[in-house]
Amino acid sequence: MNAAVRKLPIGIQSFEDIRNQGFLYVDKTALIYKMATTGKPYFLSRPRRFGKSLLLSTIEAYFQGKRELFKGLAIEKLETDWLEYPVLHLDLNARKYESVEALVAILNQHLEIWEALYGDEKKGRSPEERFIYVITRAYEVTGRQVVVLVDEYDKPLLQVFGDEELQTEYLKTLKAFYGVLKSMDRYLKFVFLTGVTKFAHVSVFSDLNQLDDISMRKDYESVCGITKEELVTQFVPELKNIALANELTEEEAVQKMTKQYDGYHFCQNAVGMFNPFSVLNALKYSTFDNYWFQTGTPTFLVELLKKSDYDLRTLINGVETDASSFSEYRVAVNNPIPLIYQSGYLTIKDYDPRFKLYTLCFPNEEVKYGFLNFIAPFYSSISDENKVFYIGKFVRELESGDVDSFLTRLKAFFADFPYELNDKTERHYQVVFYLVFKLMGQFCDAEVRSARGRADAVVKTKESIYIFEFKLNGSAEAALKQINDKGYLIPYMADNRKQIKVGVMFDASERNIGQWLIEE
């Protein structure tokens, strides 16, 4: 089929619409069949825009017995009965939850729809009492067990993150509602709940302790998202188009897609998953851009980082931790990693089976640079309007060999810090240095020291390699001497580019760059 007429389902979360209107569908139905026939109550945590809603819509169509929608898909050959079950689908996505009344109102809206089908004799009661009645009546009316699907169970809780009073009220309401699923187990055929986080999992689902959490199960790692194999086999014409539009070979286009959008791992030794939202947008418009990151800003994560005084450099370099500390079911100010991981900004990159330790890093360049660009204004004087301007200027000055202008700009950058940042610790300024050099990595090869025995920063341009050493309350001469004495240039001796050493004094009392020396 010609790529020009292929329809990619961006933002379409209805399986029925995708199949009836001829949109491309990446077949996940074999995993759905396995889930439906080997268990009953499931929970799945995945980042936003990762295909959870479409997965639930597909499960709904399957349990409604809509065989015609599955023509040509894997499940068509696996399922023989295609029975129709009553499905209660609770979608908590599209709503602002600013009060307990707003949460109860959305529960009531769904209950009214179900009561119209199965009876409304309990419509004056609490949401959980009505839920019990609807499940019982659906079972009696149809003669079949009931399927319950909950999309984004934690959306109300995430919207009031930081407001403990509202969180407590929401938890009380949701716990009572979801608790019905345990007491009504004999009436239920299948239960599936999705969300971004697991934080409310224990408190919300404490009465529902039989849930099978498949979030980190290897056999379900690809139930949402796109694998590399799916990308290269099912999007051939689109990959040809994006390669052509960006003057790349098809192999180079796949490599760029991989760097930009791949890299999510949801358990140890797992296959990498591509973010489906970004992939579909990039292929539809033949443009590499930060599509996923633009759909939501992690302000609540920045607030958590600020409260925790967490060293951002540790986060950027990769965090080594055990499973409990990034998949635990509570938010802790002194450990922001679980929320950052579960929100999709970090993913599993390595696993040490001996010590059972995971290394968590940014999944790909879209998330890495999206996160760093977003967080820079919170740690520095860069405003939202000029942050790209600053980084671009820094890069251009080094590319043209103008180190003096580069350091003058860096000095002005620190001098322009707002008053309220003036009492920041030495580490804060180190973090800002770190951010500047890391952000330059979008446009050139820039490294920042992450271990002893290395220069503070190395920037490689087409013509030159710059070795930077910053001395806190030490002289620029001492910084240059350290570059020579420690052999920081040795790894680059075989490189034909010009090598430029830059020794910089940083005055802690002035909180700014002082003298610098440049040596070629």
Side-chain angles (χ1 to χ4, degrees):
M1 189 186 287
N2 190 305
V5 298
R6 297 221 317 176
K7 296 164 69 175
L8 302 184
I10 296 170
I12 299 174
Q13 298 168 349
S14 163
F15 176 71
E16 193 162 349
D17 285 352
I18 285 174
R19 298 297 284 169
N20 285 336
Q21 296 174 30
F23 286 93
L24 187 106
Y25 175 72
V26 177
D27 191 355
K28 305 289 184 180
T29 60
L31 286 174
I32 288 171
Y33 180 78
K34 178 181 176 182
M35 205 185 303
T37 53
T38 59
K40 183 195 283 191
Y42 291 96
F43 172 78
L44 176 70
S45 166
R46 284 292 183 269
R48 61 185 169 77
R49 298 281 191 170
F50 227 87
K52 300 187 296 294
S53 296
L54 175 58
L55 175 65
L56 283 190
S57 177
T58 311
I59 293 170
E60 179 174 22
Y62 166 67
F63 277 111
Q64 287 173 336
K66 296 182 176 179
R67 182 174 188 168
E68 69 284 358
L69 296 177
F70 294 87
K71 190 171 175 56
L73 301 180
I75 203 168
E76 185 188 28
K77 295 176 182 175
L78 297 169
E79 181 59 76
T80 54
D81 296 336
W82 293 99
L83 299 176
E84 181 181 354
Y85 295 89
V87 178
L88 307 180
H89 188 163
L90 175 63
D91 183 359
L92 295 179
N93 254 311
R95 181 83 181 213
K96 277 196 180 266
Y97 298 94
E98 294 166 342
S99 65
V100 179
E101 290 74 25
L103 174 57
V104 172
I106 196 79
L107 294 178
N108 286 342
Q109 280 179 24
H110 284 83
L111 286 163
E112 285 163 14
I113 293 167
W114 303 334
E115 286 167 341
L117 294 172
Y118 304 115
D120 65 356
E121 283 80 355
K122 305 283 186 182
K123 64 182 179 183
R125 303 286 187 89
S126 66
E128 59 270 21
E129 288 177 285
R130 293 166 68 187
F131 195 26
I132 289 170
Y133 181 74
V134 164
I135 291 172
T136 310
R137 287 292 299 152
Y139 175 75
E140 290 169 354
V141 169
T142 64
R144 293 216 170 100
Q145 287 177 301
V146 180
V147 173
V148 176
L149 308 174
V150 181
D151 195 4
E152 304 288 9
Y153 88 96
D154 54 353
K155 189 69 175 280
L157 299 161
L158 280 176
Q159 282 193 4
V160 293
F161 181 76
D163 186 331
E164 287 188 26
E165 189 178 335
L166 261 185
Q167 282 240 328
T168 302
E169 289 299 314
Y170 285 8
L171 281 169
K172 194 191 304 179
T173 301
L174 291 172
K175 182 180 178 182
F177 196 80
Y178 295 140
V180 168
L181 297 172
K182 181 166 187 177
S183 62
M184 302 302 289
D185 182 65
R186 67 193 181 97
Y187 295 103
L188 299 172
K189 169 71 176 174
F190 185 82
V191 174
F192 196 95
L193 301 99
T194 73
V196 169
T197 69
K198 300 179 186 179
F199 293 108
H201 193 144
V202 162
S203 47
V204 167
F205 302 149
S206 57
D207 296 333
L208 197 58
N209 51 15
Q210 81 274 34
L211 273 179
D212 185 359
D213 185 352
I214 60 171
S215 306
M216 292 183 68
R217 285 263 300 274
K218 192 168 177 62
D219 44 347
Y220 290 113
E221 63 187 348
S222 62
V223 73
C224 289
I226 295 170
T227 65
K228 190 164 191 176
E229 184 184 359
E230 288 167 340
L231 177 74
V232 299
T233 58
Q234 299 193 36
F235 295 92
V236 173
E238 289 81 13
L239 287 170
K240 285 182 193 292
N241 283 356
I242 198 170
L244 195 63
N246 291 275
E247 298 181 349
L248 302 169
T249 65
E250 287 175 44
E251 188 178 338
E252 287 170 340
V254 171
Q255 287 171 356
K256 190 160 176 65
M257 292 286 291
T258 303
K259 274 180 73 174
Q260 193 81 355
Y261 308 124
D262 190 16
Y264 291 90
H265 300 88
F266 299 110
C267 60
Q268 63 267 32
N269 307 318
V271 64
M273 297 301 299
F274 284 73
N275 182 313
F277 184 78
S278 294
V279 165
L280 293 175
N281 273 282
L283 293 179
K284 179 173 182 178
Y285 300 109
S286 293
T287 303
F288 296 100
D289 205 347
N290 296 338
Y291 298 102
W292 178 80
F293 200 89
Q294 290 169 2
T295 63
T297 52
T299 309
F300 67 102
L301 295 182
V302 175
E303 292 302 320
L304 189 61
L305 281 169
K306 285 161 76 176
K307 282 180 191 170
S308 69
D309 197 30
Y310 195 85
D311 191 336
L312 192 65
R313 293 169 297 175
T314 308
L315 182 68
I316 295 167
N317 286 330
V319 182
E320 191 173 56
T321 181
D322 62 23
S324 66
S325 66
F326 69 87
S327 62
E328 61 187 17
Y329 302 109
R330 63 189 182 278
V331 179
V333 167
N334 63 348
N335 182 19
I337 297 306
L339 189 55
I340 298 171
Y341 167 79
Q342 292 181 23
S343 300
Y345 297 97
L346 291 177
T347 195
I348 297 166
K349 285 296 184 181
D350 201 8
Y351 178 68
D352 183 336
R354 184 183 176 200
F355 299 107
K356 296 184 177 177
L357 289 174
Y358 295 81
T359 300
L360 306 181
C361 295
F362 292 118
N364 51 47
E365 292 200 348
E366 174 184 19
V367 176
K368 176 182 177 181
Y369 291 120
F371 189 83
L372 294 182
N373 272 307
F374 180 78
I375 208 167
F378 295 89
Y379 280 80
S380 67
S381 61
I382 305 177
S383 70
D384 284 331
E385 292 75 27
N386 65 11
K387 63 188 176 191
V388 176
F389 165 80
Y390 261 119
I391 299 304
K393 286 284 189 182
F394 281 131
V395 174
R396 283 187 185 133
E397 281 156 357
L398 288 190
E399 285 177 341
S400 66
D402 192 350
V403 186
D404 283 318
S405 291
F406 174 87
L407 288 166
T408 301
R409 181 176 304 281
L410 197 57
K411 186 171 183 174
F413 171 67
F414 277 101
D416 193 33
F417 267 36
Y419 175 79
E420 61 268 21
L421 290 180
N422 285 344
D423 62 348
K424 290 292 181 182
T425 62
E426 173 193 327
R427 192 180 79 187
H428 177 88
Y429 286 87
Q430 292 169 344
V431 166
V432 175
F433 270 122
Y434 201 82
L435 271 173
V436 168
F437 283 99
K438 278 290 181 183
L439 283 168
M440 287 172 65
Q442 294 167 91
F443 310 106
C444 63
D445 189 349
E447 303 167 14
V448 198
R449 186 176 73 175
S450 57
R452 291 187 178 275
R454 292 176 60 184
D456 283 335
V458 177
V459 180
K460 300 173 188 174
T461 67
K462 193 176 180 183
E463 314 254 322
S464 309
I465 297 176
Y466 296 92
I467 312 290
F468 289 89
E469 186 64 29
F470 295 89
K471 270 287 179 195
L472 181 68
N473 289 336
S475 67
E477 288 87 355
L480 272 183
K481 187 173 185 301
Q482 182 167 324
I483 293 173
N484 292 320
D485 291 351
K486 298 282 188 181
Y488 292 157
L489 278 171
I490 291 172
Y492 312 104
M493 297 302 283
D495 198 298
N496 292 325
R497 284 173 283 190
K498 188 193 303 181
Q499 291 162 9
I500 300 167
K501 295 173 277 188
V502 186
V504 184
M505 168 201 175
F506 189 86
D507 188 333
S509 62
E510 293 291 323
R511 294 184 177 85
N512 210 328
I513 289 171
Q515 180 198 12
W516 61 78
L517 290 172
I518 304 161
E519 188 179 285
E520 293 186 19

